[in-house]
Amino acid sequence: IAAGYGYVRLARQMRSYRTVEGQVTGREVAVIPGGAGGEGRWGSGGRYSPKVTYSYVVDGVTHTSDRWSYAGNGLKRSIAEAQLAAVPDTVSVFYDPNDPGQAYLHTHTPRIGYWLLVGGAIGVVVALVALLG
């Protein structure tokens, strides 16, 4: 429930983010910390993520970030490499106007957060029924 609430709150906040052009200063495929196991045989999941470092200017101040998105997603190495290769040298950077140092290359909708909230609520109801029953 807490994760869902945080996700929904940030997704709503991202609606007010502004966009500025940024310059890519570095690219690499990163290993997700704590990523268990290797790559599966099917699907796109894995323990790798594209990491793009970029700089951008807001109100005359230069900022640097390497945040791809708020929610990390582990990918197979080949898919992470393909996503990395598709990133142009000039990118659209979404930044928080109240804190320009907080920026992402991708914003989110609150949909996943709502699913987490519903799943958490169902889990609480099931746990209460099990305890009281």
Side-chain angles (χ1 to χ4, degrees):
I1 292 175
Y5 174 75
Y7 197 95
V8 168
R9 194 181 82 201
L10 183 62
R12 285 184 177 168
Q13 182 182 355
M14 283 182 168
R15 291 178 186 166
S16 68
Y17 277 21
R18 295 192 181 135
T19 307
V20 67
E21 282 192 359
Q23 296 301 315
V24 172
T25 58
R27 292 178 173 87
E28 66 180 287
V29 174
V31 177
I32 295 175
E39 296 182 354
R41 188 177 222 180
W42 296 282
S44 61
R47 48 182 283 176
Y48 301 96
S49 177
K51 182 178 178 183
V52 177
T53 304
Y54 48 92
S55 62
Y56 57 100
V57 178
V58 176
D59 296 329
V61 178
T62 301
H63 300 274
T64 301
S65 181
D66 62 1
R67 295 181 182 145
W68 181 266
S69 65
Y70 172 69
N73 188 17
L75 302 167
K76 288 184 177 179
R77 185 174 186 89
S78 60
I79 295 172
E81 288 171 346
Q83 285 186 356
L84 202 58
V87 175
D89 291 336
T90 301
V91 292
S92 292
V93 177
F94 298 92
Y95 71 94
D96 183 350
N98 298 318
D99 180 11
Q102 181 173 324
Y104 302 94
L105 291 181
H106 302 279
T107 58
H108 298 282
T109 62
R111 185 177 348 152
I112 292 173
Y114 290 133
W115 280 109
L116 290 170
L117 286 169
V118 169
I122 290 170
V124 167
V125 169
V126 168
L128 287 173
V129 168
L131 284 172
L132 300 174

